[in-house]
Every structure is written in structure tokens, then in C-alpha cells.
């Protein structure tokens, strides 16, 4: 089996095309920008300002969600089943913990009015 321009990471082929890298960059940009602003500056988007109790913890949850999804995207392109399973489960655990942090910091009883 020929992988083309594959890079070797610990003896296994790692192939990720342009769409995979674009998806990874989009996930990181969508999560790191608002999450980093919330963690570092306690800044939130205007729509979220009245609905979040602690912007820093909410931002940490968003960053964890992005990290978990990034691990999932990177694990999907490995050709090693054991690594893919372990990294996939780790990514899901990080994603769910970030989601729980984000939802925990929402103010109860305030729903979006859109």
C-alpha cells in the first residue's frame, strides 16, 4: 500500500490531506479565539455576557472542547488501530469534560431569546 507523501510518526503512516488540515485549523480557530479571550481577559461575545457566570472557566471549557475535537481529527488519520482507539477515547473524554465545564458555567434559567 502506497501512502503518497506520508510522514512517518513512530513507524506508522500518518496521512492528512488539505481538507483535514483545514478542518483542524477551523476547529482550533473557532475554539481558541473565544476561549482564549475568555480565559485571559474575561471577555465574552455580547450575546453570552448575561448568560455566563464565570467567563474564565467557560473559556477553559471551550478550549478543552477544541482540544478534544482536534485529538479526534488527528486520531482519525492514523493507520494504527490501537492508537486510533485510545486517542479517540481520550479525545471524546476531553470533549465531554469541556462541554460539561461550559454548560456548568451557564446561568440557570436564562435561555437564549433568538
Amino acid at each position: 500500500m502506497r501512502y503518497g507523501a506520508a510522514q512517518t510518526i513512530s513507524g506508522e503512516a500518518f496521512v492528512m490531506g488539505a481538507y483535514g488540515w483545514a478542518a483542524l485549523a477551523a476547529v482550533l480557530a473557532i475554539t481558541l479565539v473565544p476561549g482564549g479571550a475568555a480565559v485571559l481577559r474575561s471577555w465574552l461575545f455580547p450575546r453570552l455576557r448575561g448568560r455566563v457566570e464565570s467567563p474564565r472557566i467557560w473559556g477553559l471549557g471551550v478550549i478543552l472542547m477544541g482540544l478534544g475535537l482536534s485529538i479526534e481529527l488527528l486520531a482519525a488519520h492514523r493507520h494504527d488501530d490501537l492508537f486510533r482507539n485510545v486517542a479517540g477515547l481520550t479525545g471524546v473524554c476531553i470533549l465531554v469534560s469541556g462541554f460539561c465545564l461550559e454548560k456548568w458555567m451557564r446561568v440557570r434559567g436564562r435561555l437564549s431569546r433568538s
Side-chain angles (χ1 to χ4, degrees), residues 33-46 48-49 55-56 58-59:
V33 171
V39 169
L40 296 176
R41 301 279 187 181
S42 294
W43 183 85
L44 293 170
F45 288 118
L48 294 172
R49 288 188 184 149
R56 293 181 191 266
W58 180 87

Side-chain angles (χ1 to χ4, degrees), residues 20 63 71 79 85 105 107:
I63 290 173
I71 291 172
H79 296 289
N85 291 338
M105 283 299 109
V107 175

Side-chain angles (χ1 to χ4, degrees), residues 16 38 87 100 112:
M16 194 159 155
C100 290
S112 63

Side-chain angles (χ1 to χ4, degrees), residues 41-75:
R41 301 279 187 181
S42 294
W43 183 85
L44 293 170
F45 288 118
R47 183 181 173 113
L48 294 172
R49 288 188 184 149
R51 297 186 190 104
V52 175
E53 290 180 18
S54 174
R56 293 181 191 266
I57 297 176
W58 180 87
L60 180 64
V62 172
I63 290 173
L64 282 176
M65 286 178 61
L67 177 66
L69 193 54
S70 299
I71 291 172
E72 285 286 323
L73 285 170
L74 290 173

Side-chain angles (χ1 to χ4, degrees), residues 69-100:
L69 193 54
S70 299
I71 291 172
E72 285 286 323
L73 285 170
L74 290 173
H77 294 286
R78 271 303 283 264
H79 296 289
D80 180 16
D81 288 336
L82 178 65
F83 177 81
R84 187 184 299 178
N85 291 338
V86 171
L89 185 60
T90 304
V92 166
C93 290
I94 293 172
L95 181 74
V96 168
S97 65
F99 178 76
C100 290

